[in-house]
Amino acid sequence: MSQARVQAARTLAQVLRGQASLAAMTTVDLPPRDHGFYKALCFGVCRELPRLEHLAGQLLKQPFKVKDQDIQALLLLGLYQLYYMRVPPHAAVGETAGAARTLKKPWATRVLNGCLRRADRERDTLLAAADQDMEASLRHPAWLVDTLKQAWPAHWETIVAANNEAPPMTLRINARSDQTRDAYLARLSEQSIDATATPFSRDGITLAVPCDVDSLPGFEDGDVSVQDEAAQLAESLLAPHLSESCHFLDACCAPGGKTAHLLERHAGLNMIALDNDGARLTRVSDTLTRLGLEAELCEGDATTTDWWDGTAFDAILCDAPCSGTGVIRRHPDIKHLRQPEDLTGLATLQGEMLDSLWSTLAPGGVLLYATCSVIPAENATQIDRFLARTASASALPLPLECGEPAGAGRQLFPQTGGHDGFFYALLHKAAN
């Protein structure tokens, strides 16, 4: 397990420097038995980061230098093990401090050992002090808490609470396979995997306890995929507007969950899956291959029409790049990596994308705008501004029982044990 701590420190150091995200850390040189521990350390530290950093500040006489962010990461890892994991204190202290030698910084062993031993001795005092600090108590940066309070005065506390929880693992059954959702639930039960049907998606199943996909019956055969319930709703919102052989664009399609869901439910769909990242398109291709599905993959920038052949689309899904503030529990490093100034740039990008994609939509067609954000500037305000400047656009009602109205769309908030935070707006292009 000591090597897992070293690798976690290296990963977290890059996150702390703002050089990488946890999602980018796809491979690590560890024995398979250590991967779970490594992932638990990385995601756990990021989930509790504002609190852990406050605790570290109480323990250190002066902060580590920027070049020693790996040592800062080791301190955070040790605190997380002491306070949030079932790791014996002697291991949390000794193994974590000793990892500094592997990082070729033996001088830090003594510092870490002293800090972590004190953290173990003075646990109650240190935690009580952290509870008096807003960021440490809520485990969110102040700017994000302020933004949520202003946007959602009646909901911000539940959003923050849900963000701090570990997310559920939700599946999507393959509608093309010879099974119903009830039949797959029975298969899970036979494997002693406890699960329930999702309340809002007709294809969703939520596991009581997350598990490795290799233990899911029929996963390799394409019977089931992993996808949050909120993301699954895109298909049901578009379904009434999709005809046989519909010319369809999935813009910003990677990693391909919504792409696959639409193809599973609509076999005749003439799908173009667009993304500006070739590596991410490879992931989409792998997903479609596992599920036995086909689409035309296209690498291009959705803020332009350079990739477009001029044939208008009957329907478009615009799964716009966003702050990810609705999926913080799945990507807890967002708390550290996202900055308030990012919202302006993202809103500008989303507006450019809407304008460009609208020009490729046929008269009478529909565009479903989606984000995994809970920030109005990216959602309700974004759509209101688009409708104000686009005479041919009007909003259609959304038949959703979850979330609440937000401008011309609907805002879903992250739910403890349930779906992620999401926004949807369905836009219609005038026939004339």
Side-chain angles (χ1 to χ4, degrees):
M1 293 293 187
S2 60
Q3 192 58 35
R5 293 178 174 90
V6 171
Q7 291 286 5
R10 288 171 173 157
T11 295
L12 290 170
Q14 293 190 59
V15 173
L16 293 175
R17 295 188 189 105
Q19 295 175 335
S21 66
L22 291 182
M25 305 299 175
T26 54
T27 59
V28 289
D29 185 18
L30 284 172
R33 67 179 183 277
D34 291 344
H35 275 253
F37 185 55
Y38 161 81
K39 185 175 180 180
L41 288 173
C42 290
F43 279 79
V45 166
C46 287
R47 188 166 287 118
E48 300 293 334
L49 187 57
R51 190 170 182 83
L52 295 174
E53 288 184 321
H54 185 278
L55 292 166
Q58 296 183 69
L59 294 167
L60 291 168
K61 294 181 180 179
Q62 58 184 19
F64 292 114
K65 297 177 181 178
V66 174
K67 67 184 181 66
D68 295 319
Q69 285 294 307
D70 50 355
I71 304 303
Q72 171 76 1
L74 278 179
L75 178 56
L76 301 176
L77 286 163
L79 290 168
Y80 183 72
Q81 292 167 73
L82 281 173
Y83 291 172
Y84 297 100
M85 297 185 80
R86 295 179 180 178
V87 176
H90 70 272
V93 175
E95 294 288 336
T96 303
R101 297 190 185 92
T102 305
L103 293 172
K104 297 182 179 180
K105 296 181 179 180
W107 58 266
T109 301
R110 187 173 180 179
V111 178
L112 291 170
N113 191 61
C115 287
L116 293 175
R117 286 185 181 279
R118 181 186 163 199
D120 192 30
R121 289 194 312 269
E122 302 177 18
R123 174 190 301 251
D124 293 343
T125 301
L126 293 168
L127 289 174
D131 286 337
Q132 300 306 309
D133 180 87
M134 187 270 286
E135 289 191 342
S137 176
L138 296 178
R139 299 160 175 83
H140 281 62
W143 75 265
L144 182 53
V145 173
D146 291 342
T147 301
L148 294 175
K149 282 183 177 180
Q150 183 176 359
W152 308 109
H155 299 285
W156 75 268
E157 290 178 294
T158 57
I159 295 172
V160 166
N163 286 349
N164 290 333
E165 297 284 338
M169 183 173 178
T170 304
L171 310 178
R172 183 192 75 242
I173 62 166
N174 188 342
R176 287 204 192 186
S177 64
D178 296 329
Q179 65 180 347
T180 63
R181 179 164 63 175
D182 287 343
Y184 193 79
L185 282 166
R187 291 175 69 184
L188 290 173
S189 180
E190 290 170 1
Q191 299 288 329
S192 298
I193 299 175
D194 188 15
T196 56
T198 53
F200 305 112
S201 169
R202 56 180 169 171
D203 295 326
I205 291 172
T206 299
L207 303 184
V209 179
C211 67
D212 192 283
V213 294
D214 292 335
S215 64
L216 295 173
F219 180 83
E220 286 301 324
D221 297 327
D223 292 343
V224 68
S225 298
V226 178
Q227 187 183 37
D228 180 72
E229 182 184 19
Q232 294 182 35
L233 299 177
E235 182 279 326
S236 62
L237 293 174
L238 283 164
H241 307 279
L242 302 181
S243 60
E244 195 70 22
S245 301
C246 174
H247 190 43
F248 185 88
L249 173 66
D250 184 359
C252 309
C253 64
K258 299 179 190 68
T259 313
H261 193 193
L262 285 158
L263 291 169
E264 288 168 355
R265 277 286 178 184
H266 306 276
L269 211 57
N270 176 18
M271 166 86 76
I272 292 180
L274 176 73
D275 203 272
N276 68 350
D277 188 325
R280 284 168 59 82
L281 276 175
T282 299
R283 290 184 59 192
V284 177
S285 177
D286 292 342
T287 294
L288 297 182
T289 297
R290 181 180 66 84
L291 297 170
L293 304 170
E294 292 184 359
E296 180 183 340
L297 304 186
C298 178
E299 184 174 351
D301 182 355
T303 64
T304 75
T305 56
D306 294 346
W307 52 271
W308 185 41
D309 67 1
T311 304
F313 295 100
D314 302 306
I316 296 173
L317 170 60
C318 175
D319 192 5
C322 69
S323 63
T325 45
V327 292
I328 283 176
R329 59 188 184 173
R330 298 190 188 278
H331 305 281
D333 49 340
I334 286 174
K335 295 179 184 181
H336 178 77
L337 296 174
R338 190 67 68 210
Q339 299 299 319
E341 56 268 23
D342 296 337
L343 298 180
T344 301
L346 285 166
T348 299
L349 176 66
Q350 293 153 359
E352 292 173 352
M353 195 169 289
L354 277 167
D355 290 339
S356 178
L357 292 174
W358 196 253
S359 70
T360 72
L361 182 66
V366 297
L367 182 151
L368 181 65
Y369 178 82
T371 76
C372 54
S373 167
V374 293
I375 306 298
E378 303 179 90
N379 297 334
T381 302
Q382 181 71 256
I383 296 303
D384 287 347
R385 289 175 175 172
F386 175 75
L387 291 171
R389 67 176 180 266
T390 311
S392 60
S394 60
L396 298 177
L398 292 171
L400 287 177
E401 298 178 4
C402 50
E404 67 174 47
R410 198 162 184 90
Q411 182 68 62
L412 282 65
F413 304 112
Q415 304 291 305
T416 298
H419 61 70
D420 289 339
F422 239 78
F423 176 83
Y424 284 112
L426 187 62
L427 307 176
H428 176 261
K429 192 169 190 176
N432 57 356

